[in-house]
Amino acid sequence: MLLIAALLFALGVLEGWRYRAPMVVASSMLIALVCLPLWALAATLDAGKVLVLLAYLAAHQSGFLVGAYLSAGPHPDR
């Protein structure tokens, strides 16, 4: 599970470096729409799986914030 979160963080960094906020919203919805049916088909969907999904989304979106910060560069007034 931690490897998946690390990959989602790296994907978020790449998205933050290149794209704007609507892209991370769309990719977060895609993550949720892929994970929930797969977990529902494989086993019962319980609170633990929902918490794991929230952790995946947090890793992805925090990676986006890091990528957006790194791509911003210095402010012209400084």
Side-chain angles (χ1 to χ4, degrees), residues 3-13 31 56-57 59-61 63-64:
L3 181 61
I4 295 171
L7 291 173
L8 287 173
F9 181 82
L11 179 68
V13 170
I31 291 168
Y56 286 168
L57 291 175
H60 179 65
Q61 292 172 4
F64 173 80

Side-chain angles (χ1 to χ4, degrees), residues 1-76:
M1 285 193 290
L2 190 58
L3 181 61
I4 295 171
L7 291 173
L8 287 173
F9 181 82
L11 179 68
V13 170
L14 293 175
E15 284 181 0
W17 195 280
R18 179 84 175 127
Y19 299 107
R20 298 284 180 221
M23 180 65 180
V24 78
V25 170
S27 61
S28 296
M29 288 181 6
L30 180 67
I31 291 168
L33 290 175
V34 167
C35 287
L36 287 175
L38 284 177
W39 288 337
L41 289 175
T44 59
L45 190 63
D46 56 353
K49 301 275 187 187
V50 173
L51 290 176
V52 169
L53 176 63
L54 291 176
Y56 286 168
L57 291 175
H60 179 65
Q61 292 172 4
S62 63
F64 173 80
L65 290 176
V66 169
Y69 175 76
L70 292 175
S71 70
H75 195 272

